[in-house]
Amino acid sequence: MGKSALAVELAEVLNGEIVGADAFQIYSGLEILTAQPDATLRQRVVHHLIGSVPCQEVFNAGRYLPLAEAAISDIRARGKVPIVVGGTGLYIKALTHGISETPQVDVEIREKLEAFSLEELLNQLKGLDPDSVETIDTKNRRRVQRALEICLQTGEAASKLREEWKRPSRPCRGIVLTREREELTERIHVNILQMLERGVMEEIRSLKSIGATAQEAIGYRDAVLHLNGSLTREQWVEQTHRASCQYAKRQLTWFKNQTKFPLLKLSAFSNLRDSLTASLDSLTAPLE
RNA sequence: GGCUGGAUAGCUCAGUCGGUAGAGCAGAGGACUGAAAAUCCUCGUGUCGGGGGUUCGAUUCCCUCUCCAGCCA
């Protein structure tokens, strides 16, 4: 989409610093694959939380929130403007609305639950927390399992701990960047080819290990298959491109329907300057 | 040239003992409270390769043609 470059322009105008809100750019070791802002951009403006967690570690929204809040306070304390940039809707919503007070994920419990079928998980959950069964998507294993994890860890019903998104919106302004679908598709293609030129495959080959969450990055598993020889370079490009386009669509759906931020279609502008001006206009919208 | 398989949704393929057909993937839309670049939900009319025959009725049986594989010459 072109978030990183635009964010740096904005930060320079607003005397700001950037706080990453991207579940995968957070990892170090996957700089190329996750398209982290390059050295030039990072020299111009201070970036927080990007490439800051070893990709061997398990990371999630629960870990993200306090880190991001700390970064934001720190920026404010120095009289600067925090600019949160990223494509992970859940992380941004956690920041603006907070999330329920539930304990950190217990890896052992999670692993134990992996062994059960969805039906078995549902039955357990029905016994412990019938209300949850009413509210969550019971066809979605992740949701059912998470609710059960909370019940088992806390000894309480997950539905009790789950509060409405509280802190109905901490004051902030925001914009959602979009582009024409075709243009976006083309840009994604170019970006993927650039990853190869920059050495994604070498980056991935040199990893000694990778954590359970980081390995979900688009293109990672297929890259491993390519390095094994079971997938051609072209196939890697094709699959990664497809997955990225699908992801971009899901992001749009999320931001359109889960936030009140105005949409800004970048396709209308031919250069960064104009995009910046338009962004600044949009950002004068009332505080959310 | 002969034989044997194929030819069905954008792609890979099921299927119809003859009553005009369905999965996965792709595509479109949507959901989303600690795995979120994840996970999940909804949406399937297509000359069933062309032509002819049998039949009340053929994508399904028969003949023929075309194309693609493989085998034999």
Side-chain angles (χ1 to χ4, degrees), chain A residues 180-240:
Chain A
E180 296 292 347
R181 186 78 68 104
E182 276 180 28
E183 185 193 6
L184 187 56
T185 297
E186 179 54 27
R187 286 177 66 103
I188 290 171
H189 186 69
V190 170
N191 286 346
I192 288 171
L193 295 181
Q194 279 175 357
M195 280 182 193
L196 284 170
E197 282 167 28
R198 291 176 188 154
V200 234
M201 291 305 162
E202 289 68 27
E203 174 176 275
I204 289 165
R205 190 189 288 126
S206 67
L207 286 178
K208 286 160 230 86
S209 64
I210 189 165
T213 48
Q215 71 182 180
E216 303 284 356
I218 289 174
Y220 176 77
R221 288 176 201 282
D222 284 338
V224 171
L225 290 179
H226 174 242
L227 292 170
N228 283 346
S230 43
L231 210 65
T232 67
R233 193 184 179 84
E234 290 66 37
Q235 286 172 321
W236 179 81
V237 171
E238 196 189 322
Q239 307 266 60
T240 303

Side-chain angles (χ1 to χ4, degrees), chain A residues 40-83:
Chain A
T40 316
L41 291 178
R42 300 189 64 152
Q43 235 168 359
R44 287 165 61 187
V45 170
V46 178
H47 285 65
H48 300 261
L49 301 185
I50 290 174
S52 62
V53 176
C55 67
Q56 287 75 25
E57 287 185 25
V58 167
F59 197 81
N60 55 41
R63 283 193 63 189
Y64 175 76
L65 188 54
L67 292 177
E69 285 179 329
I72 288 169
S73 315
D74 171 58
I75 294 167
R76 285 235 172 84
R78 284 181 286 104
K80 294 195 142 197
V81 178
I83 300 175

